[in-house]
Amino acid sequence: MRLHRNLVDAVVDGFMQINNDGLYADKVIERLLKRDKRWGSKDRAFIAETLYELVRYKRLYTEIAQEKAPFTVQSSRRVFAVWAVLRGITLPEWYFEGTPERRIKGRFDELSRVRAFRESVPDWLDALGVAELGEETWGEELHALNQQAAVVLRVNTLKIDRETLRAQLAKEGYETELLEGYPDALQLKKRANVFLSEAFKQGLFELQDTSSQRVAPLLLGAWNPSQGSLKVADCCAGAGGKTLHLAALMGGKGKIVAMDIYPQKLEELSRRAKRNGAYNIEARLIEAKYLKRQRGTFDRVLIDAPCSGLGVLRRNPDTKWKLTPEFLQEIRQTQAQLLAQYSLLVKEGGNLVYATCSILPSENEQQVQHFLASEAGKRFTLVEQHKISATQGYDGFYMAALRVNSEQ
């Protein structure tokens, strides 16, 4: 493999932005890829995939390179050199002379015996994972979460069916495969920027991992459009991935109130809803007065709670470097508060789904157990729960369906 200077410089620059400035990797990469219009798809893939790899294994590579933050251009280049040597890539003369290849390989062999270095996580997080999941399970999850994420699409059935979309994507050069058990999913056979496709611009699909695609069907349960319309609340809607799936499953009927505390996310949701042809969505900033007026009026309530994001480290490897024990404690408290607050919106006979993209029991089944034992949770019964392991090849996820007790 031949390294090109401008591409390596982009990777080094991105590494410093992510680690010195605390910027999110996906945003940094998005900007970097716009730097030079002459770059082709292979050039862009090199930048994105290499930078994600450096972030994913930051602890291992920086320890081998004996470099620490804040990173300079020179120290970042040494970290890149470790990646290149371990990949068997020859560094060109313009990079720098005297790369100690034998020492790099020797240190890699030595450090790889220790899981916190091998899988590249902070010590406190490694200890927490062991405490919550056990040595074996935590190790398996970490290893799976360091693999590259698949590109999974969700067909927008408001506009097109899966087979027709698959044929249209094939004409545009995007080959896909079906996924058993996921009626609205297509997976790319080869990684590509599908956002450039005409099919995406027409709102015929969204990117959504298989684990995330299980949430909306769980919330709706056995309901189908012939049974009448539903009033649904998506209480932590964000930019609307699950909101849009709900709209499609509901056939554009009924009403979905998509709530969030961030107006910019709701603006993005509204843009996506328009592109998708989903007109049964009302985007609303969360207000105490509105929540009070709407108590007991929703047939379905989704709490896609903010969480550690440990289940989606494949996509967001920088998350593990931004997490702190203090943040985890705060987010657990927030999750408990959201369950207590938004459960009040569910009407008699209605359903509630609590979901996270975490693999930690303290954010998942333990939260549900505490809620059911609380005053607010007394009127609910746990119907089913699903713990999705990252070892299954997709995002780690948790979801629990609860129903208001019949006697209420």
Side-chain angles (χ1 to χ4, degrees), residues 225-277:
S226 68
Q227 295 173 292
S229 62
L230 289 177
K231 183 180 179 183
V232 178
D234 185 351
C235 298
C236 306
K242 296 176 186 68
T243 310
L244 295 171
H245 195 190
L246 284 166
L249 292 176
M250 292 165 64
K253 307 297 182 183
K255 181 178 183 179
I256 304 171
V257 181
M259 294 181 268
D260 207 278
I261 60 174
Y262 300 106
Q264 65 272 25
K265 289 186 178 181
L266 293 177
E267 290 171 5
E268 174 63 15
L269 187 156
S270 296
R271 285 193 290 270
R272 293 174 70 186
K274 185 177 180 181
R275 186 179 68 236
N276 276 247

Side-chain angles (χ1 to χ4, degrees), residues 353-391:
V353 164
Y354 171 79
T356 76
C357 54
S358 174
I359 55 174
L360 297 180
S362 61
E363 298 184 82
N364 298 336
E365 58 264 39
Q366 290 176 17
Q367 284 286 10
V368 172
Q369 291 165 7
H370 293 155
F371 169 69
L372 291 172
S374 70
E375 188 63 32
K378 284 182 178 179
R379 69 189 187 112
F380 287 87
T381 297
L382 176 64
V383 178
E384 58 181 300
Q385 61 181 339
H386 302 276
K387 293 178 280 187
I388 306 173
S389 168
T391 60

Side-chain angles (χ1 to χ4, degrees), residues 108-162:
F108 173 79
D109 291 340
E110 178 186 347
L111 293 172
S112 292
R113 300 188 186 102
V114 181
R115 182 184 52 232
F117 285 112
R118 180 178 67 251
E119 304 298 349
S120 212
V121 291
D123 287 333
W124 72 267
L125 184 55
D126 189 48
L128 175 66
V130 170
E132 293 218 15
L133 295 170
E135 287 275 356
E136 184 176 355
T137 299
W138 172 243
E140 290 172 349
E141 292 289 335
L142 268 185
H143 184 70
L145 288 166
N146 273 332
Q147 309 309 305
Q148 190 176 61
V151 181
V152 180
L153 318 180
R154 179 184 56 76
V155 181
N156 178 17
T157 53
L158 290 174
K159 288 189 170 184
I160 198 169
D161 62 77
R162 184 164 66 167

Side-chain angles (χ1 to χ4, degrees), residues 17 49 103 142 150 170 263 267-268 294 308 317 320 392 395:
Q17 290 182 48
E49 292 171 14
R103 188 186 68 80
L142 268 185
E267 290 171 5
E268 174 63 15
Q294 296 297 317
S308 63
K320 58 187 174 184
Q392 297 175 28
D395 291 344

